[in-house]
Amino acid sequence: MGPGAVADLLRLTAAAHAGIRIREPLRLARLAAEGLIDRSGPLVLVRPRIPFLARRHLRLLTPALRAEYRQLLDS
């Protein structure tokens, strides 16, 4: 997931928290494919928490980022 999708997720989360409507993000399909949002008719439902990284995502990280991620989980 790239920075644009992360930015879209942050905008959706902020809008959901504030209870306001925003335009449909460009990367909505990518967020749905990653399981970070769900569509219910015209509504977009945003998860209250971002889940931990799956193994397939961990493999995409550099060794240094994997180590940092594991260290954050252990704290």
Side-chain angles (χ1 to χ4, degrees):
M1 210 166 76
V6 172
D8 283 350
L9 179 61
L10 291 173
R11 278 192 292 278
L12 283 169
T13 303
H17 184 70
I20 60 173
R21 291 175 162 248
I22 61 171
R23 276 192 206 175
E24 186 173 301
L26 294 174
R27 293 154 197 94
L28 196 63
R30 180 69 176 160
L31 294 172
E34 294 295 334
L36 297 170
I37 60 104
D38 192 20
R39 295 213 63 166
S40 178
L43 295 177
V44 175
L45 305 173
V46 181
R47 295 179 77 146
R49 299 184 130 220
I50 295 173
F52 295 109
L53 292 176
R55 281 197 173 114
R56 65 186 171 104
H57 295 118
L58 284 173
R59 285 194 302 265
L60 298 173
L61 298 177
T62 64
L65 284 175
R66 267 194 302 261
E68 186 177 341
Y69 179 75
R70 287 189 181 112
Q71 198 172 32
L72 286 170
L73 290 179
D74 291 340
S75 339

